[in-house]
Amino acid sequence: MKEATPTKASVAIIGAGPAGLMAAEILAAGGASVDVYDAMPSSGRKFLMAGKGGLNITHTEAKAPFRARYSDRAPDLAPFLDNFGPDEIRVWIHGLGIETFVGTSGRVFPREMKAAPLLRAWLRRLRGLGVRFHMRHRWQGWTKDGALIFGTPSGPVTRTSDALVLALGGASWPQLGSDAAWTAFLGEKGVKLAPFKPSNCGFDVSWSEHFRERFAGEPVKPAAIGGRKGEFIVTSTGVEGGLIYSVSAVARDEIEAKGYSLLHVDLRPDRSEQKLAEALARPRGRASFATYLRKAGGLEGVKAGLVRELVSEADRADARKLASAIKSLPISLRSPRPIGEAISSAGGVPFAALDQHLMLGAMPGVFLAGEMLDWEAPTGGYLLTACLATGRAAGQGVLRWLARAES
Ligand SMILES: Cc1cc2nc3c(=O)[nH]c(=O)nc-3n(C[C@H](O)[C@H](O)[C@H](O)COP(=O)(O)OP(=O)(O)OC[C@H]3O[C@@H](n4cnc5c(N)ncnc54)[C@H](O)[C@@H]3O)c2cc1C
């Protein structure tokens, strides 16, 4: 007599971003029957967008400073990062046939910089493992009986599964799929969420009309903030770019607390204030301020524009005060740009609502991963690393939970 094949446990994953896809890989490799649902017409839209400017997937920093990037959520994320951190991520990428390289700042990129080849190889692997994909399936909560409801082009459908992974993303760039509409469905189940806030975002500054018209779109480089070198861009509404993102969490919280945040930007990070003051103190003769600033201060273009915009005429006439302003130019940030424009978001489901395997305390069998959890990190590969690490942990958590439920 033929032995009956044991039925595989079924797992639904909603969200085909990096966190959901990583959970799918673990679950399918672990023997589960996996269905991935996503509202968008194709998988990994934000992941692909992240690859546009060069997919910075992780960082080679030592363990302690790496962890510190997650500030007060570091202890919550540590077990997941220890289990699947930068080294493991690189091995995993190489296993997909994608080479990586380490940039001068320690950031890790795929050799081709883009996300598309990696995503293609990954989806191929997942399909090979038997994962089924259901695109244009917008999750709309649960029925009274606990089935999942999806809106699809051919009308609503309901689905059930033995376990569920939600990897629905944060609240930035909603046009790529993560629109945070899910907060209502979890809210109805009694899950208390930390409000979403923009992270790695630009800020509004009250530029004069003249400055805005003349310099919007100009990069300011090199520059430094708090000793960290980099660059940023003057926009028509304020400032954005890598250097600004690196201080955006602190600036955002400061604005929330007192209504503004004062940024101190070093426009000559390669020159000491003393040397600059000495050069600026030499007789100016009949040179215009622009020529004087270029020759003695080494500033022109947008940097000179910033000095004119933000340093008083009296201070510009005093070499010592001018040098001090160039080394520590105060830019008053009024408000963060809207969350839709931010690279990522802070807020979401707090770790306190989850057990150590990322299962919701209020809903046994429902696991969460990725940016929808309440943590934030700067750019530098830390975002994707935590999404992949929590995706993996959620997948492992489900396997463990299913095994327990069976025994
Ligand atoms: C411009 C840009 C550049 C970036 N660059 C980098 C970088 O270089 N390095 C880095 O580490 N990070 C970067 N990030 C951040 C990184 O892309 C995100 O942190 C990461 O994609 C989040 O992964 P996730 O799986 O949690 O969510 P997401 O990638 O947002 O995926 C969530 C998925 O859930 C789906 N979904 C949401 N709601 C529903 C619903 N109701 N029903 C069905 N499906 C739903 C969405 O369609 C989406 O596909 C960048 C982000 C942006 C916007």
Side-chain angles (χ1 to χ4, degrees):
M1 210 173 76
K2 232 177 152 188
E3 235 179 84
T5 329
T7 28
K8 284 181 171 185
S10 65
V11 184
I13 297 175
I14 314 181
L21 295 179
M22 183 51 83
E25 179 169 339
I26 296 298
L27 284 160
S33 168
V34 179
D35 288 277
V36 175
Y37 300 88
D38 200 291
M40 300 300 280
S42 59
S43 309
R45 293 264 169 133
K46 193 177 274 185
F47 187 62
L48 288 172
M49 176 55 75
K52 280 241 161 120
L55 186 74
N56 179 197
I57 198 149
T58 191
H59 204 291
T60 51
E61 217 165 33
K63 194 167 166 175
F66 187 95
R67 270 196 195 175
R69 302 292 181 172
Y70 301 92
S71 49
D72 52 354
R73 296 298 183 278
D76 297 301
L77 285 166
F80 313 120
L81 296 170
D82 284 350
N83 191 25
F84 197 64
D87 293 343
E88 290 79 12
I89 286 178
R90 289 187 75 188
V91 170
W92 169 77
I93 298 175
H94 299 159
L96 285 167
I98 305 289
E99 284 181 50
T100 56
F101 75 95
V102 181
T104 44
S105 56
R107 295 170 179 226
V108 177
F109 301 88
R111 174 85 46 209
E112 290 180 62
M113 296 299 273
K114 293 194 165 55
L118 199 163
L119 183 62
R120 265 199 305 275
W122 196 4
L123 293 175
R124 209 176 308 125
R125 172 186 283 179
L126 293 176
R127 289 203 177 92
L129 285 167
V131 174
R132 291 174 296 272
F133 287 87
H134 311 271
M135 295 295 117
R136 294 191 167 93
H137 277 59
R138 181 171 295 283
W139 179 50
Q140 293 171 336
W142 287 275
T143 63
K144 278 202 188 81
D145 306 330
L148 299 164
I149 314 170
F150 294 97
T152 77
S154 46
V157 297
T158 59
R159 296 285 179 265
T160 55
S161 60
D162 296 317
L164 171 65
V165 176
L166 297 176
L168 299 158
S172 80
W173 285 61
Q175 66 274 33
L176 300 176
S178 45
D179 60 6
W182 55 266
T183 53
F185 315 138
L186 288 187
E188 279 164 19
K189 296 288 179 185
V191 180
K192 296 222 172 351
L193 300 165
F196 277 117
K197 297 175 186 179
S199 185
N200 295 303
C201 56
F203 290 87
D204 291 328
V205 177
S206 303
W207 299 132
S208 67
E209 201 53 43
H210 171 76
F211 181 81
R212 177 181 302 126
E213 272 173 19
R214 179 98 173 67
F215 296 110
E218 294 276 337
V220 182
K221 62 179 181 181
I225 299 175
R228 191 195 313 252
K229 270 196 200 175
E231 62 181 82
F232 66 94
I233 296 169
V234 165
T235 66
S236 61
T237 54
V239 286
E240 66 173 31
L243 196 54
I244 301 298
Y245 300 157
S246 71
V247 294
S248 64
V250 173
R252 176 201 65 212
D253 292 347
E254 222 170 70
I255 291 171
E256 207 172 287
K258 59 177 195 189
Y260 71 97
S261 173
L262 208 54
L263 214 57
H264 288 95
V265 178
D266 183 350
L267 295 176
R268 285 297 312 268
D270 46 355
R271 255 286 160 97
S272 72
E273 188 173 326
Q274 168 85 22
K275 283 250 156 63
L276 203 53
E278 282 167 16
L280 289 165
R282 281 182 214 125
R284 177 173 156 184
R286 294 162 65 106
S288 69
F289 183 70
T291 308
Y292 160 69
L293 203 55
R294 178 164 50 80
K295 289 196 170 159
L299 300 186
E300 56 187 331
V302 63
K303 284 189 176 181
L306 279 166
V307 170
R308 278 186 184 279
E309 175 80 357
L310 298 170
V311 184
S312 71
E313 218 164 307
D315 285 1
R316 276 190 256 150
D318 177 322
R320 205 179 39 78
K321 286 186 178 159
L322 180 56
S324 162
I326 291 171
K327 290 297 288 176
S328 185
L329 188 76
I331 303 183
S332 181
L333 308 179
R334 276 192 296 117
S335 49
R337 292 296 301 158
I339 197 164
E341 294 176 19
I343 295 288
S344 58
S345 53
V349 179
F351 283 95
L354 306 165
D355 73 5
Q356 84 250 45
H357 303 293
L358 298 176
M359 185 170 83
L360 265 178
M363 300 189 75
V366 179
F367 293 73
L368 270 49
E371 208 183 305
M372 68 184 294
L373 302 179
D374 180 21
W375 56 272
E376 67 176 315
T379 56
Y382 309 102
L383 298 164
L384 284 170
T385 300
C387 290
L388 294 168
T390 53
R392 190 175 177 90
Q396 289 170 335
V398 172
L399 288 175
R400 199 187 140 93
W401 187 77
L402 289 171
R404 275 211 183 152
E406 258 174 30
S407 63

